[in-house]
Amino acid sequence: MLEPDVITTAWHANLTLTLCEACDSHYLLPPGLFPFKCPTCFEADLIEIEAERQPNDLLHHYAPELLIPFTVSQQELTARIQQFTGRIWFAPSDLKPNTLLNRLQRLYLPMWLVDSGVEALWQAEVGFNYEVVSHRDQFDQNDGGWHSQQVTEQRIRWEPRLGRLNRTYHNMPAPALEQHTQIMQQLGQYHLTEAVPFQAQALDQAVIHLPDRPPTDAWPDTIPAFHAAAAEECRQASRADHLRGYRWTSDYRDQQWTLLLLPVCATYYVDDEGRPQPIMIHGRTGRLSGPTRASMKRARTTALIIVAVAAALFILSLILGGISFMAPPLLILAGISLLGALIIGMLAITPIIVVWQYNRNQSNRGEREAQ
Amino acid sequence: MGTDLFPPINFIPVPSAVEGIEVYQPAPVKLPAHREVVQFNCPQCGANTAYSAADSGLTCTNCGFYEPPEHAVVGIQAQRFEFTVDTVQRAAQGWGEARKELQCQSCGAYTTISTDSLTHTCIFCGSNQVIQHAAPQDVLRPRFIVPFKIEAEACHDIARQWLGQSWMTPRSLRRVATIARFTGIYLPFWTFETVTKAHWQAEVGHNQTERYYENGEWRTRTKTVWQWESGRVTVPIKDLVIAGTNRVSPLLLTQVKNDNLAELAPYEPKYLAGLQAQTYDIPLETAWEQARHLMREQTRRACYDQASNSKIRNFHMNLDFDQEGWRYILLPMYLTTYQFDNQRFQVMINGQTGAIAGQRPVDWTVLWLAVAALLAPGLTVGVLGFLTLMLGGLGFPIAIFGFILVVIGLIISFNWVNKAMRMDDA
């Protein structure tokens, strides 16, 4: 059993550990936010986990080290949401800019940062820039023959190098959420250079998503970052301009795990079937991502109205047809009315086809993104 | 990557710019220490040794000691160098001094020699010495050499045969000429290679015959129709040999020069022992300019060949030189002079192939007699035809036949005179 003050120790803030029973995600909530909908699935309200019921495998005791602050402005959020809602025909009744803006929640997504000492034997080809003199000539029969121009070209001389490495690398990132890759594909990457040291005040009523991947799972994902960092340092150590074919055999020691917090704004709308559809917005760039579903209910209503108009025209044509026995010129009007009824009646199917096709395209796109 | 042996053999540490990272690089190939003067004495008897074309190695004429070359022939696979900015600048600077004082390591005598000489034979003790102006790692020293294949003794036979080869030379030349001793000398040459990539465009003319109606009748005429064409040409040019010296007649060098570099061997001072050798006096950039001139003309011809017809106007091409490389090599030549009729004539023989070129006196009396004999039949027939024509006979065809004979005679005479002038001027 963890000590009750473990959160305060790690986060230097008074935060409440909560759980979404619908999606099994854990969050840290600032005080005064209850009741609060799960910012991932928006299916259920978060429930507080009391200290004595906290499971052992929870990852809330890892301290945050860096945080990327929110910079997206309210105006930009409004503009993005208006753009998002405006592009859907027959949008669900709940998909309105004001509704989405009112439900907007600030959320920090976690990412692992690991510091580790590395001992390795390495080997690579390093490249040194050098310049050669070359020529470009031109011949013009009407302009006195040959004209020669000397040009300097840059080339790379590759040489083998190997060596030993004993270094410590800091803040190698790795995903802390199972959905990390998918979220980054949808929202775009965050630049680690924009991160600032974590301070509790910077949380500013934002909710914190806790990691759902333990460090043991995330460790293999950090290896490429260590590899790239070591390769770059070996290039610098060799005083070379380029490096290729970097290979190493490495041993790691003294690993320290901390968290990096990525800013996201979350909101949702309810679709025809009453299911919440979550929407995420990048806290730096304002890039928005979320499923867009058109309302089949609204499409059907529209189709029915069109059918009703067509039916009215049809009845009118019948009436005009009956009267035309007494006043034959009215037969032309009856014909026009009948033709209009037929055309409008056929158009009634259009809203349903449009919505069906749109939802189908969105489903396919969602599946592709999930892959 | 194995961890058992670190660092691997033949790797040496180099200074690292990052603390905690050790860097190793392959140890450079150990070059022999730079000896500015290499002396050749027999390790058995102490006498002078010299390179022998017959044995392809260093031999001692006193005791028969033989030492073969250290490196095998590499041929056209010999390493090429790039035109790095550094190399081009250094090549343009030259050797810096005109003469150098040299102390003979055998007898201690001091001699002043020109810096364009690569070898020296001490006039006091006769010892053979090779002077190496540049350090072994310097790219601007001779790196490759084609060793002598033809012995100096064979050159006399080649020269005698060549002197008596032509009917234009005096009949007594072969017999009377006094040929001086042939001097074996390695002359400097540059070799160049590149891939030229050209894009050309030009108007290409095609003849078309058309019928037209004029003055009540149909006629035909030929007119040229010009059409724009363009194309791309890639010409790989390998081992173009350009002389690196101005001291020998360029005409003679062109005639005896051999572009077959299959016998190129890595440079060793022992190839030069007992022979003369010169450093280049035409710098790399100047020679490269000459080579580029030949290369671009070759590429231009390739562009012309690509056009659909040889009638071309408004030709324009852009040419890029790619993968440029060069070598500084020494090629074996024999030089001598011979005296005839109180005049000296220069002769050069390729020490690898035996190709010979030089000046030969022309017996102009014999030549003009031959020309006269050649033209006489045509003139005679022509006069005969003219007379017959005047007398009302079949003179016209005879005169025409005479005219043709004169024209043929003039063409052959022109060739003879041309050839004779070249022989005289070479």
Side-chain angles (χ1 to χ4, degrees), chain B residues 161-404:
Chain B
Q161 195 183 355
W162 172 74
L163 285 172
Q165 229 170 29
S166 176
W167 61 268
M168 294 181 200
T169 56
R171 206 178 279 179
S172 58
L173 179 64
R174 187 172 174 176
R175 201 165 22 85
V176 178
T178 315
I179 303 172
R181 182 173 169 268
F182 274 91
T183 307
I185 183 168
Y186 281 106
L187 292 178
F189 286 84
W190 300 100
T191 76
F192 296 101
E193 69 163 20
T194 190
V195 176
T196 56
K197 293 177 178 175
H199 176 234
W200 64 270
Q201 54 188 22
E203 277 188 289
V204 182
H206 293 270
N207 288 340
Q208 281 186 1
T209 309
E210 62 178 16
R211 277 166 66 79
Y212 67 101
Y213 192 75
E214 193 180 73
N215 298 333
E217 59 176 325
W218 283 98
R219 299 178 181 191
T220 58
R221 66 181 168 200
T222 303
K223 69 169 187 177
T224 303
V225 178
W226 295 94
Q227 283 180 331
W228 281 101
E229 288 186 12
S230 66
R232 289 183 188 278
V233 163
T234 301
V235 184
I237 301 169
K238 287 205 177 292
D239 300 322
L240 180 65
V241 180
I242 301 287
T245 181
N246 275 320
R247 293 190 178 84
V248 185
S249 156
L251 187 63
L252 290 189
L253 273 183
T254 311
Q255 286 172 7
V256 299
K257 184 181 75 177
N258 178 23
D259 290 343
N260 176 13
L261 302 177
E263 288 171 358
L264 267 186
Y267 169 86
E268 289 177 42
K270 65 180 66 160
Y271 284 120
L272 274 56
L275 296 159
Q276 288 191 28
Q278 278 200 322
T279 59
Y280 65 86
D281 52 79
I282 295 177
L284 174 64
E285 184 57 27
T286 311
W288 175 221
E289 209 171 307
Q290 288 177 30
R292 280 204 318 274
H293 173 75
L294 298 172
M295 288 168 170
R296 61 195 191 185
E297 286 304 324
Q298 190 177 338
T299 310
R300 186 156 70 110
R301 283 196 298 275
C303 294
Y304 268 66
D305 291 344
Q306 204 180 51
S308 60
N309 199 8
S310 59
K311 196 182 268 186
I312 287 170
R313 73 178 185 190
N314 292 325
F315 181 81
H316 176 92
M317 73 183 268
N318 287 322
L319 190 156
D320 262 2
F321 289 87
D322 195 21
Q323 300 167 37
E324 301 101 315
W326 62 273
R327 290 193 210 103
Y328 174 25
I329 63 170
L330 296 177
L331 295 184
M333 299 289 167
Y334 284 107
L335 295 179
T336 193
T337 55
Y338 67 91
Q339 202 167 0
F340 180 79
D341 206 13
N342 291 327
Q343 271 190 297
R344 283 197 172 278
F345 299 92
Q346 200 178 29
V347 177
M348 185 184 284
I349 294 178
N350 186 317
Q352 178 193 9
T353 61
I356 184 168
Q359 294 167 304
R360 280 180 288 186
V362 175
D363 190 338
W364 289 101
T365 314
V366 172
L367 182 74
W368 291 127
L369 282 174
V371 169
L374 194 66
L375 296 176
L379 287 171
T380 311
V381 173
V383 170
L384 191 68
F386 181 74
L387 289 175
T388 320
L389 190 67
M390 298 298 282
L391 295 170
L394 292 168
F396 188 71
I398 297 169
I400 291 291
F401 181 62
F403 178 74
I404 291 168

Side-chain angles (χ1 to χ4, degrees), chain A residues 98-355:
Chain A
N98 283 342
T99 314
L100 296 189
L101 283 167
N102 289 338
R103 291 172 182 161
L104 212 57
Q105 297 168 3
R106 298 197 329 151
L107 171 70
Y108 278 112
L109 300 179
M111 207 171 169
W112 289 117
L113 294 176
V114 60
D115 301 344
S116 177
V118 184
E119 285 178 31
L121 292 179
W122 64 272
Q123 161 175 335
E125 270 193 304
V126 293
F128 298 93
N129 289 341
Y130 67 97
E131 288 185 330
V132 294
V133 174
S134 185
H135 288 83
R136 282 189 198 132
D137 289 9
Q138 211 173 54
F139 179 85
D140 197 327
Q141 211 171 28
N142 305 323
D143 189 24
W146 287 102
H147 299 281
S148 188
Q149 184 197 359
Q150 183 173 302
V151 289
T152 306
E153 290 174 0
Q154 196 172 75
R155 292 190 188 158
I156 302 169
R157 186 182 69 251
W158 292 100
E159 293 178 9
R161 291 284 186 278
L162 52 82
R164 240 187 317 237
L165 174 146
N166 187 355
R167 298 278 296 163
T168 299
Y169 295 101
H170 298 279
N171 296 336
M172 294 295 125
L177 294 175
E178 295 292 350
Q179 297 293 311
H180 180 90
T181 310
Q182 196 184 335
I183 293 170
M184 291 303 118
Q185 275 175 359
Q186 291 167 357
L187 291 184
Q189 294 294 328
Y190 289 84
H191 299 290
L192 263 62
T193 50
E194 295 169 341
V196 295
F198 172 80
Q199 284 184 323
Q201 300 91 306
L203 289 175
D204 193 22
Q205 296 296 300
V207 182
I208 297 146
H209 197 314
L210 284 177
D212 58 15
R213 292 181 87 206
T216 45
D217 285 5
W219 172 247
D221 293 336
T222 65
I223 303 297
F226 278 105
H227 188 270
E232 173 57 18
E233 284 199 339
C234 289
R235 180 192 68 74
Q236 290 170 11
S238 307
R239 294 183 166 86
D241 301 301
H242 311 271
L243 181 137
R244 70 182 181 191
Y246 186 81
R247 291 187 294 146
W248 71 346
T249 48
S250 51
D251 288 322
Y252 302 88
R253 57 180 153 73
D254 306 331
Q255 289 157 18
Q256 298 290 328
W257 293 82
T258 54
L259 289 172
L260 162 71
L261 301 179
L262 310 174
V264 167
C265 295
T267 184
Y268 72 100
Y269 67 91
V270 181
D271 66 11
D272 272 1
E273 286 81 37
R275 284 184 310 219
Q277 299 290 343
I279 293 163
M280 281 186 169
I281 303 167
H282 196 293
R284 304 285 293 188
T285 63
R287 184 169 158 184
L288 186 148
S289 173
T292 51
R293 309 283 301 170
S295 169
M296 189 55 87
K297 200 188 285 179
R298 281 189 64 190
R300 276 198 218 104
T301 309
T302 309
L304 277 175
I305 292 167
I306 295 169
V307 167
V309 171
L313 271 178
F314 179 71
I315 291 164
L316 181 67
S317 69
L318 289 179
I319 294 166
L320 289 172
I323 299 171
S324 68
F325 284 112
M326 290 172 284
L330 286 177
L331 190 61
I332 295 167
L333 275 179
I336 292 168
S337 182
L338 182 64
L339 187 66
L342 279 172
I343 292 168
I344 291 169
M346 281 192 291
L347 284 177
I349 195 77
T350 311
I352 292 167
I353 291 173
V354 167
V355 169

Side-chain angles (χ1 to χ4, degrees), chain A residues 79-93:
Chain A
R80 294 272 184 170
I81 285 172
Q82 280 174 342
Q83 191 187 358
F84 175 75
T85 54
R87 73 186 186 205
I88 309 170
W89 283 14
F90 303 104
S93 55

